[in-house]
């Protein structure tokens, strides 16, 4: 199935190479971007309601810590 791609904005990121990643997240209606490059993505992504998480932060959200058995 082919869907049109909408261009939502003029360049927003400090790094031009990040633009296509941000555009894909917007068009894909992503809830979050997971990246180590939080500095470049945080401002632009959050303007579109997309949170930016480091991989470790995502794992903390989706994987509850196992409780050790008590004796």
């Amino acid at each position: 199935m082919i869907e049109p791609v909408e261009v939502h904005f003029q360049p927003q990121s400090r790094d031009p190479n990040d633009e296509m990643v941000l555009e894909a997240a917007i068009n894909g209606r992503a809830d979050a971007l997971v990246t180590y490059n939080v500095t470049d993505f945080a401002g632009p992504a959050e303007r579109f309601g997309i949170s930016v998480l480091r991989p470790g932060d995502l794992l903390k959200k989706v994987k509850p810590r196992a409780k050790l058995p008590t004796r």
Side-chain angles (χ1 to χ4, degrees):
M1 177 176 187
I2 298 174
E3 293 186 26
V5 174
E6 299 174 22
V7 176
H8 292 275
F9 62 96
Q10 295 298 317
Q12 302 283 316
S13 179
R14 297 184 309 171
D15 182 350
N17 293 320
D18 293 342
E19 294 297 327
M20 71 173 154
V21 175
L22 183 57
E23 187 68 27
I26 294 165
N27 279 305
R29 297 181 181 97
D31 294 320
L33 276 171
V34 180
T35 180
Y36 288 109
N37 189 5
V38 173
T39 304
D40 286 350
F41 281 106
E46 289 173 359
R47 281 194 282 274
F48 293 93
I50 301 170
S51 61
V52 180
L53 304 169
R54 287 183 175 83
D57 295 333
L58 175 68
L59 291 175
K60 289 175 189 174
K61 284 186 171 212
V62 298
K63 183 180 178 184
R65 293 199 181 262
K67 293 187 179 190
L68 298 174
T70 58
R71 292 183 182 190

